[in-house]
Amino acid sequence: MDRICGGVDLRLSLLFISQATKYIDNSAFQIKMLLMLLAGVNMLALAFELITFRSVSKWDRDAPVPLTGQLAGAVSLACWLGILVFGRQIGWTMYPE
């Protein structure tokens, strides 16, 4: 897990460093980073790992997914769709010099 997160951090920082002063002032970039943080917190800490994953051994093929699992999935999906939308917005809102 540390390898994956480290690699993602490295790639994000390299993309950010290329035009850091332009990106940091871009509201679409700020929202995208906030959504990425929220998606990570949702999966690692709050909704999935600490609450839902504890009962995963009790799930059966016919049993419905608990509400906490559904909520974690919905929040994650909403965050990643927002990340895609605001990622595209970055290109449209950055102006060349």
Side-chain angles (χ1 to χ4, degrees), residues 31-32 34-49 52 67-86:
I31 294 170
K32 178 183 175 182
L34 183 66
L35 288 171
M36 289 182 75
L37 179 66
L38 180 61
V41 168
N42 176 49
M43 288 309 292
L44 293 176
L46 297 178
F48 193 74
E49 288 293 329
T52 306
L67 182 60
T68 55
Q70 293 175 3
L71 186 59
V75 169
S76 182
L77 184 60
C79 285
W80 286 106
L81 287 174
I83 289 166
L84 288 173
V85 168
F86 286 103

Side-chain angles (χ1 to χ4, degrees), residues 43-44 46-59 66 68-69 72:
M43 288 309 292
L44 293 176
L46 297 178
F48 193 74
E49 288 293 329
L50 295 179
I51 299 170
T52 306
F53 192 71
R54 291 180 180 179
S55 66
V56 77
S57 61
K58 297 176 187 172
W59 297 1
T68 55

Side-chain angles (χ1 to χ4, degrees), residues 15-31:
L15 287 172
F16 174 71
I17 288 172
S18 66
Q19 297 180 6
T21 56
K22 290 182 182 179
Y23 280 117
I24 201 69
D25 291 333
N26 189 315
S27 60
F29 176 76
Q30 293 171 355
I31 294 170

